[in-house]
Amino acid sequence: MIDEIVLRVALTAAYAVACGFHLVRLWRDGGLVERVGSVLHALMCGAMILMAWPATMAFAPVPQTALFAVAALWFAALAAIGGRACAGHGRVELVHHAVMMAGMAWMVVVMPLAMREPPSGGGGGGAHDHHGGAATTAVDAGAGVPAHVSAVGLALAVVFAIAGTAWLARALDAGRAPGARRRRAVAPAVESAMSLGMAVMAVAMA
């Protein structure tokens, strides 16, 4: 999905760390709701890693779509119920999780459209196809993306970028706390990385 190798590796590393965090939380958290949330987030991290690598981005699209659609409904239901039902998260955080899971389902569905090659332009098309070689960017690959896919992708990118920035601000605030309280910065930092990674992938889809 992402042709820039540096960005691809960076996203892979970020989501691998996030996956590890949620697996540790799965092991440590005792509540059913928290465990389900950790599993869903870990699966999301794995799917994002797959999406970053062109050779694996088409892996099991139907099960992935169904999984993330159900996950979106799960978090939406928790948000509707209210309270701090999942790892201490309130309604706003749960809505964010629901939107991320819905965004994952959308990405899996539209990925074939987002990666569709643009129509050949005749004699000049060959030169364009080879321009830049392996350094061709995701924007180049998605030059033929339908307008509605681009519009949704850009809208999701804005939402995830804003959410990721908000999570980052929360992490920085927690990081300035004294002593052991600084550990509270880890969870919002992971949330920020996941949301900003979603923003990058949404831009690539557009």
Side-chain angles (χ1 to χ4, degrees):
M1 182 62 225
I2 295 178
D3 293 331
E4 290 290 347
I5 187 64
V6 174
L7 183 57
R8 189 189 303 167
V9 171
L11 282 176
T12 299
Y15 277 102
V17 171
C19 183
F21 170 82
H22 286 292
L23 290 177
V24 170
R25 175 173 277 181
L26 171 65
W27 174 67
R28 295 181 61 180
D29 290 341
L32 174 62
V33 173
E34 289 85 353
R35 287 179 180 273
V36 171
S38 295
V39 169
L40 292 176
H41 279 85
L43 290 173
M44 173 189 164
C45 291
M48 286 296 290
I49 292 174
L50 290 176
M51 285 186 185
W53 297 87
T56 57
M57 65 183 182
F59 174 75
V62 174
Q64 283 194 73
T65 303
L67 170 65
F68 293 119
V70 170
L73 292 175
W74 168 263
F75 286 113
L78 291 179
I81 293 172
R84 307 190 72 79
C86 183
H89 289 168
R91 274 198 173 95
V92 174
E93 294 90 344
L94 291 170
V95 168
H96 172 246
H97 294 329
V99 173
M100 280 209 304
M101 295 299 171
M104 287 294 299
W106 175 82
M107 287 182 184
V108 174
V109 170
V110 304
M111 192 175 297
L113 294 175
M115 295 304 295
R116 187 173 60 190
E117 292 294 333
S120 175
H128 175 76
D129 289 342
H130 295 286
H131 177 69
T136 302
T137 65
V139 175
D140 294 327
V145 178
H148 68 281
V149 173
S150 293
V152 174
L154 291 176
L156 288 176
V158 171
V159 170
F160 292 136
I162 292 173
T165 302
W167 279 113
L168 180 59
R170 185 179 298 188
L172 293 175
D173 287 342
R176 287 193 286 265
R181 292 184 179 180
R182 292 181 182 177
R183 287 181 294 183
R184 297 179 181 177
V186 177
V190 169
E191 297 283 3
S192 175
M194 292 178 67
S195 191
L196 293 176
M198 288 285 289
V200 171
M201 191 65 74
V203 169
M205 291 284 186

